[in-house]
Amino acid sequence: MTANDQGSASMGQRQWLRPVLDDVFAGLTVAGVLLPEAVAYAAIANVPPAHALLAALVGLCLYPWFGSSRFAIVSPTSSAAAIFASAVAVGGMPMGFALVILTGGLLLLAWALRAEFLGAFVSRPVLRGFAWALALTIIVRQLPHLLGMQVSAAGFFPLLQQLWHYAALVHGPSLVWGLAALVLWLVFKRLHRWLLLPPSLLILMAGMIASAILEPARAGVALVGQVAWAWSGWHWPHLSDAYWLRAAEIAPALLLILFAESWGSVRTLALQHGDRVAPRRELLALGLSNLASGALQGLPVGAGFSASSANEAAGGRSKLTGLAAALALALLLWQGRGWLALLPVPVLAAVVIGILAHGLWPRTVLNSMRLRSDTWLAWVAAATVLVFGVLFGLLLAVGLSVLLVVRRFSRPLWSELGQLPGTRDYLDRDAHTEALRTPGVTVLRPEEPVFFANAERIFAGMREQALAHDTQVLVLSMELCDALDSTSVEALAELATDLSHRGCTLMLARVKDRPRDALHRAGLLDGSSGVLVPVFWSVDDAVEAAQARLGPAA
């Protein structure tokens, strides 16, 4: 082998090795981010840290094989942990794991049914309002741990009231440890550009070292304690039918939040790098990850934006980063559980507050108010979470989003079209005053897809408008309708029959293939149903046919 050949081989090895090393180092960074986050989210969920750490390992190991994003890191998230905690408050930890299993099953069902559109039913204002109220709720829930107090209230406002009422019972040493951790957090956040490790991980390490030296437990400061880590096999939650039904009621809402949050993270990072991602593959990856996590008694998992952004910022280039992070996290758990037991609870609470503090000021909600439109939903979603709790607030916010979707598409909206002089084009006469009406002919266009919820009202309104103008031929431009269900077809046939009794003819224009097939099956195109509705490819063709039918007098 010549010197040139050896040099080329060496360069080829370096070109192959460099991306792998980048992914491995990014995986170490991600593991450093996930460890404190998992411990913090376990505190939010009111479960031992092992359940969150196990869920992180499951997500890291499964997503690279089934997901479509090279940056997504699937692990426990704050919103999912809060919903899990609400389920635990109702039926204990088994109900929480049942919720994760059911959510995973529903995600797989959505994948099988190609229902990747589900995430769109949670609007961004609702998601922003929910996330802001959730961050505020979680921070308030951490205050008793930071202050070393024992409180019984669970709701946001009752908890604040109880903290105020029993302020004299604040445990001084716990408050000192918590405030010291918060001060360190502020310092590290300002110096994060020069730090090799995430601020949250540095604070946890400092807390554990200080705890080993100062022994705060002697002063009454609570410690995390030994993290039990022994896989006891696959377990099916032992619950009564009533609790399974309660979990099944919550699972669809958790599905929507997990998928909307995950798809938002995946799509944002993909757009920044010109990558292509597939929502259906995300459903499959999330479904399998949650199903396995629930069976192993782990928390629900999703592609959180913080961990995924940390992966991208650390230089991760492929899905190997997630596997490297899983290996690094497993090594940390293998060697570091003894140190984790020394962590003071007030320090952990301070880390939770620090992680969520960036979302405490509702900047995105305030900025979106300039858009007006539906941004008021953010404040409604936030208010429902604060007043009614995370679980009911989530269900109410998601239900409100779905209700607004149905309301929007069920409104009877249409416009009248007129011909632009000297052209074959027909435009909305309200927006284009120069568009002219054709004598004896009225051209109307539905401005929303026609379906069972709005068909009868739209066609009834169109009939009244046409008859008010002494219309002899009514032309409906149907270009916005991709399909017609049975209710819409029947309502259309009833419109044609009613108009014919009043001396008016109904014609359709710009009917797409699928609605045309539905009309043909109903016998409206050949008159076999007793009603004949002429159909044309363009509005201009339909108007010319109408003028020919009316004759020169028109």
Side-chain angles (χ1 to χ4, degrees), residues 17 64 95 109-110 148 154 181 191 202 220 252 295 331 349 386 442 453 463 470:
L17 187 60
M95 181 173 169
L109 180 62
L191 302 176
L202 288 174
L331 291 175
L386 294 178
T442 298
R463 178 193 60 191
D470 296 326

PDB file of all heavy atoms in Angstrom, residues 17 64 95 109-110 148 154 181 191 202 220 252 295 331 349 386 442 453 463 470:
ATOM      1  N   LEU A  17     -15.243   8.165  11.809  1.00  0.00           N
ATOM      2  CA  LEU A  17     -15.217   8.153  13.262  1.00  0.00           C
ATOM      3  C   LEU A  17     -15.725   9.469  13.852  1.00  0.00           C
ATOM      4  O   LEU A  17     -16.340   9.472  14.919  1.00  0.00           O
ATOM      5  CB  LEU A  17     -13.784   7.881  13.744  1.00  0.00           C
ATOM      6  CG  LEU A  17     -13.584   7.670  15.258  1.00  0.00           C
ATOM      7  CD1 LEU A  17     -14.408   6.480  15.728  1.00  0.00           C
ATOM      8  CD2 LEU A  17     -12.103   7.453  15.557  1.00  0.00           C
ATOM      9  N   PRO A  64     -35.018   5.391  18.764  1.00  0.00           N
ATOM     10  CA  PRO A  64     -34.142   5.387  17.587  1.00  0.00           C
ATOM     11  C   PRO A  64     -34.504   4.333  16.547  1.00  0.00           C
ATOM     12  O   PRO A  64     -34.199   4.507  15.359  1.00  0.00           O
ATOM     13  CB  PRO A  64     -32.755   5.118  18.186  1.00  0.00           C
ATOM     14  CG  PRO A  64     -32.844   5.641  19.577  1.00  0.00           C
ATOM     15  CD  PRO A  64     -34.245   5.319  20.012  1.00  0.00           C
ATOM     16  N   MET A  95     -52.890   2.785  39.037  1.00  0.00           N
ATOM     17  CA  MET A  95     -53.717   3.505  38.075  1.00  0.00           C
ATOM     18  C   MET A  95     -52.850   4.375  37.159  1.00  0.00           C
ATOM     19  O   MET A  95     -53.144   4.540  35.982  1.00  0.00           O
ATOM     20  CB  MET A  95     -54.749   4.369  38.785  1.00  0.00           C
ATOM     21  CG  MET A  95     -55.668   5.125  37.823  1.00  0.00           C
ATOM     22  SD  MET A  95     -57.010   5.981  38.649  1.00  0.00           S
ATOM     23  CE  MET A  95     -57.636   6.997  37.304  1.00  0.00           C
ATOM     24  N   LEU A 109     -53.033   2.413  18.267  1.00  0.00           N
ATOM     25  CA  LEU A 109     -54.281   2.374  17.500  1.00  0.00           C
ATOM     26  C   LEU A 109     -54.348   3.545  16.524  1.00  0.00           C
ATOM     27  O   LEU A 109     -54.765   3.383  15.370  1.00  0.00           O
ATOM     28  CB  LEU A 109     -55.469   2.410  18.463  1.00  0.00           C
ATOM     29  CG  LEU A 109     -56.863   2.370  17.817  1.00  0.00           C
ATOM     30  CD1 LEU A 109     -57.066   1.078  17.040  1.00  0.00           C
ATOM     31  CD2 LEU A 109     -57.948   2.525  18.883  1.00  0.00           C
ATOM     32  N   ALA A 110     -53.933   4.720  16.979  1.00  0.00           N
ATOM     33  CA  ALA A 110     -53.900   5.883  16.091  1.00  0.00           C
ATOM     34  C   ALA A 110     -52.933   5.657  14.938  1.00  0.00           C
ATOM     35  O   ALA A 110     -53.186   6.070  13.798  1.00  0.00           O
ATOM     36  CB  ALA A 110     -53.510   7.130  16.880  1.00  0.00           C
ATOM     37  N   GLY A 148     -39.521  22.804  53.663  1.00  0.00           N
ATOM     38  CA  GLY A 148     -39.512  21.787  54.707  1.00  0.00           C
ATOM     39  C   GLY A 148     -40.816  21.689  55.460  1.00  0.00           C
ATOM     40  O   GLY A 148     -40.831  21.417  56.667  1.00  0.00           O
ATOM     41  N   ALA A 154     -53.985  19.957  47.848  1.00  0.00           N
ATOM     42  CA  ALA A 154     -53.457  19.539  46.550  1.00  0.00           C
ATOM     43  C   ALA A 154     -53.689  20.585  45.471  1.00  0.00           C
ATOM     44  O   ALA A 154     -52.888  20.722  44.558  1.00  0.00           O
ATOM     45  CB  ALA A 154     -54.092  18.205  46.132  1.00  0.00           C
ATOM     46  N   ALA A 181     -29.407  26.479  46.774  1.00  0.00           N
ATOM     47  CA  ALA A 181     -29.482  25.821  45.466  1.00  0.00           C
ATOM     48  C   ALA A 181     -30.053  26.760  44.409  1.00  0.00           C
ATOM     49  O   ALA A 181     -29.589  26.773  43.261  1.00  0.00           O
ATOM     50  CB  ALA A 181     -30.331  24.553  45.562  1.00  0.00           C
ATOM     51  N   LEU A 191     -23.648  31.665  33.706  1.00  0.00           N
ATOM     52  CA  LEU A 191     -22.345  31.187  33.252  1.00  0.00           C
ATOM     53  C   LEU A 191     -22.442  29.938  32.380  1.00  0.00           C
ATOM     54  O   LEU A 191     -21.429  29.265  32.163  1.00  0.00           O
ATOM     55  CB  LEU A 191     -21.462  30.875  34.471  1.00  0.00           C
ATOM     56  CG  LEU A 191     -21.201  32.028  35.451  1.00  0.00           C
ATOM     57  CD1 LEU A 191     -20.391  31.533  36.647  1.00  0.00           C
ATOM     58  CD2 LEU A 191     -20.476  33.173  34.762  1.00  0.00           C
ATOM     59  N   LEU A 202     -24.953  20.106  37.680  1.00  0.00           N
ATOM     60  CA  LEU A 202     -23.948  20.655  38.592  1.00  0.00           C
ATOM     61  C   LEU A 202     -24.532  20.911  39.979  1.00  0.00           C
ATOM     62  O   LEU A 202     -23.870  20.653  40.998  1.00  0.00           O
ATOM     63  CB  LEU A 202     -23.392  21.953  38.004  1.00  0.00           C
ATOM     64  CG  LEU A 202     -22.475  21.822  36.777  1.00  0.00           C
ATOM     65  CD1 LEU A 202     -22.120  23.187  36.234  1.00  0.00           C
ATOM     66  CD2 LEU A 202     -21.214  21.040  37.134  1.00  0.00           C
ATOM     67  N   GLY A 220     -32.615  17.670  60.352  1.00  0.00           N
ATOM     68  CA  GLY A 220     -34.004  17.460  59.978  1.00  0.00           C
ATOM     69  C   GLY A 220     -34.311  17.703  58.517  1.00  0.00           C
ATOM     70  O   GLY A 220     -35.490  17.708  58.120  1.00  0.00           O
ATOM     71  N   PRO A 252     -57.137   9.444  26.432  1.00  0.00           N
ATOM     72  CA  PRO A 252     -57.181  10.233  25.187  1.00  0.00           C
ATOM     73  C   PRO A 252     -56.605  11.632  25.337  1.00  0.00           C
ATOM     74  O   PRO A 252     -55.936  12.131  24.432  1.00  0.00           O
ATOM     75  CB  PRO A 252     -58.682  10.271  24.856  1.00  0.00           C
ATOM     76  CG  PRO A 252     -59.265   9.075  25.525  1.00  0.00           C
ATOM     77  CD  PRO A 252     -58.469   8.923  26.781  1.00  0.00           C
ATOM     78  N   ALA A 295     -45.684  -1.005  31.153  1.00  0.00           N
ATOM     79  CA  ALA A 295     -45.554  -2.397  31.578  1.00  0.00           C
ATOM     80  C   ALA A 295     -44.385  -2.582  32.541  1.00  0.00           C
ATOM     81  O   ALA A 295     -44.407  -3.467  33.402  1.00  0.00           O
ATOM     82  CB  ALA A 295     -45.374  -3.295  30.353  1.00  0.00           C
ATOM     83  N   LEU A 331     -25.007   3.724  33.099  1.00  0.00           N
ATOM     84  CA  LEU A 331     -23.761   3.708  33.873  1.00  0.00           C
ATOM     85  C   LEU A 331     -23.855   4.637  35.075  1.00  0.00           C
ATOM     86  O   LEU A 331     -23.368   4.316  36.169  1.00  0.00           O
ATOM     87  CB  LEU A 331     -22.592   4.110  32.972  1.00  0.00           C
ATOM     88  CG  LEU A 331     -22.217   3.093  31.880  1.00  0.00           C
ATOM     89  CD1 LEU A 331     -21.122   3.657  30.979  1.00  0.00           C
ATOM     90  CD2 LEU A 331     -21.765   1.767  32.494  1.00  0.00           C
ATOM     91  N   ALA A 349     -36.054  20.152  44.933  1.00  0.00           N
ATOM     92  CA  ALA A 349     -37.153  21.074  44.657  1.00  0.00           C
ATOM     93  C   ALA A 349     -36.649  22.329  43.966  1.00  0.00           C
ATOM     94  O   ALA A 349     -37.294  22.857  43.047  1.00  0.00           O
ATOM     95  CB  ALA A 349     -37.875  21.438  45.961  1.00  0.00           C
ATOM     96  N   LEU A 386     -55.497  26.106  36.713  1.00  0.00           N
ATOM     97  CA  LEU A 386     -55.271  26.671  38.046  1.00  0.00           C
ATOM     98  C   LEU A 386     -56.480  26.491  38.956  1.00  0.00           C
ATOM     99  O   LEU A 386     -56.326  26.255  40.161  1.00  0.00           O
ATOM    100  CB  LEU A 386     -54.930  28.165  37.926  1.00  0.00           C
ATOM    101  CG  LEU A 386     -53.614  28.509  37.223  1.00  0.00           C
ATOM    102  CD1 LEU A 386     -53.437  30.011  37.141  1.00  0.00           C
ATOM    103  CD2 LEU A 386     -52.429  27.864  37.936  1.00  0.00           C
ATOM    104  N   THR A 442     -77.746  32.944  -9.912  1.00  0.00           N
ATOM    105  CA  THR A 442     -77.021  33.239  -8.671  1.00  0.00           C
ATOM    106  C   THR A 442     -75.956  32.175  -8.480  1.00  0.00           C
ATOM    107  O   THR A 442     -76.244  30.975  -8.541  1.00  0.00           O
ATOM    108  CB  THR A 442     -77.974  33.243  -7.455  1.00  0.00           C
ATOM    109  OG1 THR A 442     -78.951  34.280  -7.617  1.00  0.00           O
ATOM    110  CG2 THR A 442     -77.194  33.488  -6.168  1.00  0.00           C
ATOM    111  N   ALA A 453     -72.682  18.260   9.907  1.00  0.00           N
ATOM    112  CA  ALA A 453     -72.979  19.246  10.935  1.00  0.00           C
ATOM    113  C   ALA A 453     -73.435  20.588  10.373  1.00  0.00           C
ATOM    114  O   ALA A 453     -74.052  21.376  11.095  1.00  0.00           O
ATOM    115  CB  ALA A 453     -71.759  19.458  11.831  1.00  0.00           C
ATOM    116  N   ARG A 463     -80.723  28.629  -0.230  1.00  0.00           N
ATOM    117  CA  ARG A 463     -82.037  28.624  -0.877  1.00  0.00           C
ATOM    118  C   ARG A 463     -82.759  29.945  -0.628  1.00  0.00           C
ATOM    119  O   ARG A 463     -83.324  30.555  -1.559  1.00  0.00           O
ATOM    120  CB  ARG A 463     -82.880  27.462  -0.326  1.00  0.00           C
ATOM    121  CG  ARG A 463     -84.291  27.392  -0.916  1.00  0.00           C
ATOM    122  CD  ARG A 463     -85.151  26.444  -0.115  1.00  0.00           C
ATOM    123  NE  ARG A 463     -85.239  26.891   1.276  1.00  0.00           N
ATOM    124  CZ  ARG A 463     -85.736  26.170   2.272  1.00  0.00           C
ATOM    125  NH1 ARG A 463     -86.151  24.946   2.042  1.00  0.00           N
ATOM    126  NH2 ARG A 463     -85.794  26.662   3.494  1.00  0.00           N
ATOM    127  N   ASP A 470     -85.020  36.355  -6.917  1.00  0.00           N
ATOM    128  CA  ASP A 470     -85.774  35.851  -8.084  1.00  0.00           C
ATOM    129  C   ASP A 470     -84.870  35.025  -8.999  1.00  0.00           C
ATOM    130  O   ASP A 470     -84.860  35.179 -10.225  1.00  0.00           O
ATOM    131  CB  ASP A 470     -86.405  37.006  -8.866  1.00  0.00           C
ATOM    132  CG  ASP A 470     -87.449  37.744  -8.043  1.00  0.00           C
ATOM    133  OD1 ASP A 470     -88.132  37.078  -7.226  1.00  0.00           O
ATOM    134  OD2 ASP A 470     -87.565  38.970  -8.194  1.00  0.00           O
TER     135      ASP A 470
END
